Amino acid sequence: MNTKTYIVLIEDEKSICNFISTTLTSQGYKISTAPNAKTGISLITSGCPDLILLDLGLPDMDGIDIIREVRTWASIPIIVISARTQEQEKVLALDTGADDYITKPFGPSELMARIRTALRHSYSLHTDSLLTQRPYRAKGLEIDFEKRLVTLDKVPVHLTQIEFKIVSLLAQNSGKVITYDSIISNVWGPYADDNNRILRVNMANIRRKLEKNPAEPHYIFTEIGIGYRMAEEG
Ligand code: CA
């Protein structure tokens, strides 16, 4: 008997709950839903889900506090569902420990893509060192982490140390948004100045080297006010 991937959805809006339940069930996932934080947390603690979909605006608790609580004892991937457009809200959710977010309204294909990415990263945790050494490949771009070699349509691209670090971090987490702050602390260290200017300057140089048209990127996308997301492999 195969075990279905189990997802817990915490969302108080009935229509969204129904839409997500229908979509996930038709894709072969097992899903439980909770209309509030209290029920949601008890579903999580009793059922050990593979992934949590979480609305930030709940009647009894702020979704951010659920992330904080779950993260004290579990590393289950959490995708935040939010109608809120405030970037600060999303950045806070990501920095508190959410893996990604999806903004209402969204369609089934976007939802499924986010879920697959989050699950892939959680399953890859155990074999991280092997996986990170496997080259990243997408649309003519290849990054060989071991050889520190970047090629675009087989032609080597010269990146500085810092540029290579940024691109590697994004590529090893492809499909997933990485916040400005977490890029800065990963690349420059935890005590780095948290102003984004130096990151923006480096990103402009990276795009000039990688993208045919830096204004319409194919490889590294900007999530305005939040961070960057690298194209999925394939
Ligand atoms: Ca809500």
Side-chain angles (χ1 to χ4, degrees):
M1 206 178 87
N2 78 329
T3 333
K4 288 183 173 180
T5 302
Y6 177 44
I7 295 177
V8 164
L9 165 64
I10 310 174
E11 165 68 84
D12 60 333
E13 249 172 274
K14 257 222 156 89
S15 60
I16 294 182
C17 244
N18 291 341
F19 163 70
I20 293 178
S21 292
T22 312
T23 306
L24 292 184
T25 308
S26 75
Q27 297 289 320
Y29 290 89
K30 180 178 173 234
I31 178 162
S32 295
T33 62
N36 56 53
K38 192 166 170 281
T39 317
I41 289 172
S42 85
L43 280 177
I44 295 166
T45 50
S46 63
C48 297
D50 298 297
L51 184 135
I52 298 163
L53 290 169
L54 175 67
D55 177 27
L56 287 182
L58 294 166
D60 56 339
M61 200 177 181
D62 193 315
I64 298 283
D65 294 324
I66 300 186
I67 301 173
R68 209 167 274 136
E69 180 162 339
V70 170
R71 278 293 170 260
T72 62
W73 53 271
S75 58
I76 309 163
I78 301 173
I79 299 176
V80 160
I81 301 168
S82 181
R84 304 181 200 189
T85 47
Q86 292 104 324
E87 283 74 32
Q88 277 317 309
E89 214 39 78
K90 294 171 183 168
V91 171
L92 181 60
L94 292 166
D95 287 342
T96 306
D99 292 79
D100 210 337
Y101 64 84
I102 187 163
T103 308
K104 298 174 201 174
F106 51 85
S109 55
E110 193 184 353
L111 175 67
M112 294 317 301
R114 288 284 186 282
I115 290 175
R116 275 194 301 269
T117 300
L119 287 172
R120 184 161 55 77
H121 286 294
S122 86
Y123 291 149
S124 74
L125 276 181
H126 304 287
T127 52
D128 213 13
S129 58
L130 280 177
L131 260 182
T132 51
Q133 285 172 24
R134 192 176 52 78
Y136 165 94
R137 290 191 184 92
K139 295 176 267 186
L141 176 66
E142 186 170 325
I143 302 165
D144 189 321
F145 302 109
E146 241 177 314
K147 295 182 188 148
R148 304 182 65 87
L149 187 67
V150 179
T151 54
L152 194 56
D153 298 325
K154 308 270 186 237
V155 181
V157 178
H158 177 74
L159 297 181
T160 65
Q161 290 268 26
I162 293 285
E163 290 164 4
F164 184 80
K165 272 190 167 182
I166 296 169
V167 171
S168 298
L169 176 70
L170 293 171
Q172 285 167 354
N173 294 283
S174 62
K176 197 175 149 176
V177 66
I178 311 292
T179 62
Y180 299 126
D181 282 1
S182 93
I183 297 171
I184 289 169
S185 65
N186 265 286
V187 172
W188 284 277
Y191 303 108
D193 197 345
D194 65 352
N195 100 47
N196 295 344
R197 202 186 65 85
I198 184 147
L199 176 57
R200 282 204 309 274
V201 169
N202 274 280
M203 188 54 73
N205 291 332
I206 291 169
R207 281 184 167 147
R208 213 172 6 251
K209 294 174 184 179
L210 296 187
E211 306 281 359
K212 281 195 187 79
N213 177 3
E216 278 175 41
H218 276 82
Y219 302 112
I220 300 174
F221 309 106
T222 302
E223 305 267 328
I224 296 165
I226 296 167
Y228 298 104
R229 187 193 300 271
M230 189 125 176
E232 288 267 17
E233 289 189 69

